[in-house]
Amino acid sequence: ATPNRIVASSEVEQTYIMIKPDGVQRGLVGEIISRFEKKGFLLKGLKLFQCPKDLAQEHYKDLKERPFFPNLIDYITSGPVVCMAWEGDGVVASARKLIGATNPLQAEPGTIRGDLAVQTGRNVVHGSDSPDNGKREIEGELAQWESVQTPWLIE
Ligand code: GDP
Ligand code: MG
């Protein structure tokens, strides 16, 4: 976008990133946010949130038949999470690359999980797996703003 082009945010791709309770407890909030900031995506929403059980079950409903599902719900509801909406062209796939593989032992060094975690059941961060799920997972009103960096990031 040129600096003075106005884009309705519904047109722009967004992803839901959530720092899980282990990331909050381990003091990794700043580190994880910093990876997305430094990459050059735009932060559109942010809150610290205690996820209720029913919302955790809804968020992970595709996994409800899996043996680890009860542990997953206990894990996600065990303490506050940091909920974020990040925006930018290609942000969904790029965020998944920044996060790394589901199993942190298989995640490449340089990724968040590859650098900061050792177990699938404590993999510190969630990222939407498609633009449609990004839209579905983001709730509430987002900030309408444009970073002064935009013309230095986008041709
Ligand atoms: P993601 O998109 O990389 O987060 O992975 P999935 O959507 O497949 O799974 C969602 C989350 O469920 C993962 O991030 C893990 O926290 C958890 N999970 C997935 N597979 C397993 C597993 O085999 N064991 C355990 N304990 N947790 C798992
Ligand atoms: Mg997933």
Side-chain angles (χ1 to χ4, degrees):
T2 54
N4 49 15
R5 182 173 145 227
I6 294 163
V7 181
S9 72
S10 61
E11 292 171 32
V12 181
E13 192 171 303
Q14 294 173 340
T15 191
Y16 174 61
I17 301 295
M18 177 178 70
I19 304 174
K20 297 179 179 181
D22 50 333
V24 176
Q25 289 287 351
R26 292 178 55 210
L28 299 174
V29 171
E31 165 82 33
I32 292 170
I33 291 177
S34 157
R35 306 253 177 147
F36 296 96
E37 274 190 318
K38 287 178 190 164
K39 174 71 175 168
F41 291 123
L42 187 67
L43 181 62
K44 297 299 296 286
L46 172 70
K47 77 175 170 185
L48 189 67
F49 178 65
Q50 175 64 55
C51 187
K53 203 167 177 170
D54 56 346
L55 185 59
Q57 287 166 334
E58 159 68 21
H59 176 78
Y60 283 122
K61 63 177 188 288
D62 294 347
L63 300 170
K64 69 173 182 294
E65 305 304 334
R66 306 295 289 276
F68 58 82
F69 186 73
N71 286 352
L72 174 59
I73 299 308
D74 286 350
Y75 164 45
I76 292 302
T77 59
S78 64
V81 295
V82 174
C83 308
M84 294 176 279
W86 287 90
E87 186 175 279
D89 287 336
V91 68
V92 170
S94 178
R96 297 277 293 186
K97 281 192 189 158
L98 292 173
I99 288 169
T102 304
N103 180 345
L105 293 183
Q106 270 141 36
E108 294 295 329
T111 65
I112 295 168
R113 288 168 174 166
D115 289 347
L116 304 175
V118 292
Q119 266 202 345
T120 302
R122 296 287 186 272
N123 62 4
V124 301
V125 66
H126 165 84
S128 306
D129 60 11
S130 69
D132 280 351
N133 279 337
K135 284 199 177 72
R136 184 177 68 80
E137 291 172 354
I138 293 167
E139 283 178 3
E141 220 174 295
L142 301 180
Q144 296 309 316
W145 71 296
E146 193 158 358
S147 167
V148 295
Q149 292 187 7
T150 302
W152 302 103
L153 286 160
I154 294 163
E155 191 180 34

